[in-house]
Amino acid sequence: MTKGEKTRDRIFEAALARFSSQGFAETTMRQIAQDAECSLGLAYRYFESKDAMALALYERLVIEFEEEVASLAPGPLARRWADAERADLARLTPYRATLVGLTSAGLLPGSKTQVLGETSGPLRRRMLSIFSRIVTGASDAPKATTHEPLTTLFYATHLLVILFWLQDPTPGQKTTWKLLDFGEEILGKLKLVLRLPWTGALLIRAGELLGPLFTGEAEPDSEAIPPGTPPRSRL
Amino acid sequence: MTKGEKTRDRIFEAALARFSSQGFAETTMRQIAQDAECSLGLAYRYFESKDAMALALYERLVIEFEEEVASLAPGPLARRWADAERADLARLTPYRATLVGLTSAGLLPGSKTQVLGETSGPLRRRMLSIFSRIVTGASDAPKATTHEPLTTLFYATHLLVILFWLQDPTPGQKTTWKLLDFGEEILGKLKLVLRLPWTGALLIRAGELLGPLFTGEAEPDSEAIPPGTPPRSRL
DNA sequence: TTCTTAAATTGAACGTGTTCACTTACGAAT
DNA sequence: ATTCGTAAGTGAACACGTTCAATTTAAGAA
């Protein structure tokens, strides 16, 4: 561990401590530098921005999520999915205040920390493989052709769960937890519906729509198309 | 129209022009003031913050949405819903760059422009009544007991559509439009499923979960509950 | 007209995230 | 031991959103 790495850690830990004690927005880069006993500029040597610190935290948490899912007990898909989400939320809870700051930055186009941006591509693919394991490891895993779209939809849902959880104003984010229970129930019932032939096709279509956005195969937003001219699509 | 109102309008129009030509984040309050030929401080007399300007735009757009939905042709629910969303997106398109700035601010807790915050409560209730009209005006409107949860779910979906549309990197936000077509198709098919007795109960449960968050009946986030202690709920 | 009072307006100042030209520390090659 | 190059570290400076005490303008009452 070089001297630089040690300094980076010191800065990172100082940042996390401040974030969780007084929130992300309320924490100053100057405070972090002071806590880490270094100059303001040095913090920017190791972290491109304040947002990047929250992103670094998120990366660490993704790795933990990976391990948690790997050690998930086999069982029906609905339970595996809900347990994974519940475990994730439980582990994320201490960092909620910090992660809230990430969201607002993660939705800003052009930001380095943009959720669907290029920078976070590897992180997204990593998350996709995590959810893929949730599907393939289920005792009632559906036929292989639906694995990929299911994975995509699970990841999309996961983004929504996190977003909702961060916004949930109820004490202890109670509503989010109830929503997970509800989702588990629905997903269990959906199993029967999914046996029908045409539902599989729907699943695949949905996956084809969303998948490219996550894997990064989608073309970037072209400025060539003038705004104000929405496509006249009507099935 | 008093002198102040005229000044406010001048500032607002200057802001909108800058927002749509160079984006929200890239526009400076000093630029707006200069364009409106007034001092920096005066802009803050009429708009609490830069975000408030985007919010004022959003309020204006909600009113337009209201009129658009009112003049919506009667027909099946699926089509009414999809047409309403399509009309909204089409109208919002010129302001996409501006509204992107609102999102990131709208998801920041404590912000005046928070989506689920107290300030935007009247706006949310207004949106709910709009979606209520979409449901009640449908030729195949379901029984009255499901109107309220349906309205709630439609509004929740609308928030998602807007969020997705703002993030959609495909040219012309093509994916969002395809997703609306897809949603219309699903919703049409769902009509048959909704005839089943237990689905109505599910709908109502979902509405009970989400409704309070929109209408503002939910208790605010209590600091009394220490973080890190998620409820052990497991149906 | 003059006085009074509220509305309208100003711009300097603050704290923020971020940048950058600069300095210092240190290990390896000469 | 000296040199040299890279890594590590500094802090003043910038532009930004925002605040506020102060000043000017305008309109109605006397």
Side-chain angles (χ1 to χ4, degrees):
Chain A
M1 191 184 224
T2 75
K3 191 184 181 198
E5 282 168 337
K6 242 167 86 175
T7 306
R8 190 197 138 99
D9 272 17
R10 217 172 58 238
I11 293 170
F12 190 42
E13 295 308 324
L16 292 190
R18 282 279 184 182
F19 287 163
S20 63
S21 74
Q22 57 180 57
F24 180 78
E26 290 73 22
T27 298
T28 288
M29 287 299 282
R30 287 167 177 81
Q31 282 177 346
I32 296 173
Q34 198 161 0
D35 290 356
E37 285 170 331
C38 73
S39 70
L40 176 60
L42 192 57
Y44 281 92
R45 183 177 169 76
Y46 296 104
F47 295 92
E48 223 169 302
S49 65
K50 192 180 165 189
D51 297 337
M53 291 184 177
L55 188 63
L57 167 65
Y58 184 68
E59 278 174 28
R60 176 193 278 189
L61 295 173
V62 164
I63 295 175
E64 286 180 29
F65 184 43
E66 213 161 18
E67 294 163 356
E68 235 164 16
V69 168
S71 68
L72 213 60
L77 183 57
R79 181 135 55 88
R80 276 176 71 85
W81 169 78
D83 279 351
E85 294 289 352
R86 278 191 278 253
D88 197 36
L89 285 194
R91 203 170 30 73
L92 254 47
T93 297
Y95 307 101
R96 206 175 84 103
T98 305
L99 295 174
V100 158
L102 236 193
T103 354
S104 57
L107 294 176
L108 217 64
S111 162
K112 294 277 179 193
T113 60
Q114 196 184 359
V115 179
L116 296 184
E118 197 157 341
T119 319
S120 48
L123 217 52
R124 275 199 310 273
R125 279 183 282 278
R126 195 157 186 169
M127 284 297 268
L128 281 173
S129 84
I130 294 177
F131 281 101
S132 171
R133 220 168 322 180
I134 293 179
V135 175
T136 55
S139 58
D140 55 351
K143 53 178 183 289
T145 49
T146 57
H147 277 186
E148 194 186 324
L150 259 183
T151 298
T152 301
L153 288 181
F154 273 147
Y155 178 51
T157 307
H158 180 251
L159 291 180
L160 289 187
V161 169
I162 298 294
L163 183 68
F164 188 90
W165 175 71
L166 290 172
Q167 294 293 317
D168 188 353
T170 52
Q173 288 66 249
K174 202 179 36 160
T175 302
T176 308
W177 290 88
K178 284 184 185 168
L179 230 36
L180 283 183
D181 292 345
F182 190 69
E184 180 178 355
E185 196 182 333
I186 298 269
L187 191 56
K189 287 194 168 133
L190 228 55
K191 195 164 46 177
L192 303 173
V193 181
L194 277 176
R195 292 280 174 262
L196 274 61
W198 52 275
T199 52
L202 285 183
L203 216 61
I204 292 174
R205 270 182 60 197
E208 281 169 352
L209 244 53
L210 296 178
L213 267 60
F214 297 151
T215 56
E217 291 166 24
E219 324 95 284
D221 197 348
S222 164
E223 297 294 331
I225 293 184
T229 56
R232 281 271 134 257
S233 67
R234 182 69 82 75
L235 19 155
Chain B
M1 191 183 223
T2 76
K3 191 184 181 197
E5 282 167 337
K6 241 166 88 174
T7 306
R8 191 198 138 100
D9 271 18
R10 218 172 58 239
I11 294 171
F12 190 42
E13 295 308 324
L16 291 190
R18 282 278 185 185
F19 288 162
S20 62
S21 74
Q22 58 181 56
F24 181 80
E26 291 73 22
T27 298
T28 288
M29 287 299 281
R30 287 168 176 79
Q31 281 177 348
I32 296 173
Q34 198 161 1
D35 290 357
E37 285 170 329
C38 73
S39 71
L40 176 60
L42 192 57
Y44 281 93
R45 182 179 168 74
Y46 297 105
F47 295 94
E48 224 170 302
S49 66
K50 194 180 164 187
D51 297 337
M53 291 184 177
L55 189 64
L57 168 64
Y58 184 69
E59 277 174 28
R60 176 192 279 189
L61 294 173
V62 164
I63 294 174
E64 286 181 29
F65 185 43
E66 213 161 18
E67 294 163 357
E68 235 164 16
V69 168
S71 68
L72 213 60
L77 183 57
R79 180 134 56 88
R80 276 176 70 85
W81 169 79
D83 279 351
E85 294 289 351
R86 278 191 279 254
D88 197 35
L89 286 194
R91 203 170 29 75
L92 255 46
T93 298
Y95 308 100
R96 207 175 84 103
T98 307
L99 296 174
V100 159
L102 237 192
T103 353
S104 57
L107 294 175
L108 217 64
S111 161
K112 293 276 179 192
T113 60
Q114 197 184 357
V115 179
L116 297 184
E118 196 157 342
T119 319
S120 48
L123 217 51
R124 276 200 310 274
R125 277 183 283 278
R126 195 158 185 168
M127 284 297 269
L128 281 173
S129 84
I130 294 177
F131 281 101
S132 173
R133 219 167 324 179
I134 293 179
V135 175
T136 54
S139 58
D140 56 349
K143 55 177 183 286
T145 49
T146 58
H147 278 185
E148 193 185 325
L150 260 183
T151 299
T152 302
L153 289 181
F154 273 147
Y155 178 51
T157 307
H158 180 252
L159 291 179
L160 290 187
V161 169
I162 298 294
L163 184 67
F164 188 89
W165 175 70
L166 290 172
Q167 295 293 317
D168 187 353
T170 52
Q173 288 68 246
K174 203 179 34 161
T175 303
T176 309
W177 289 88
K178 284 185 185 168
L179 230 37
L180 284 183
D181 292 346
F182 190 69
E184 180 177 355
E185 196 181 332
I186 299 270
L187 191 56
K189 287 193 168 133
L190 228 55
K191 195 164 47 176
L192 304 172
V193 181
L194 278 177
R195 293 280 175 261
L196 274 63
W198 52 274
T199 51
L202 285 182
L203 215 61
I204 291 173
R205 270 182 59 198
E208 280 169 353
L209 244 58
L210 296 178
L213 267 60
F214 297 150
T215 56
E217 290 166 24
E219 323 95 285
D221 197 348
S222 164
E223 298 294 330
I225 293 183
T229 55
R232 281 272 135 254
S233 67
R234 184 68 84 74
L235 19 158

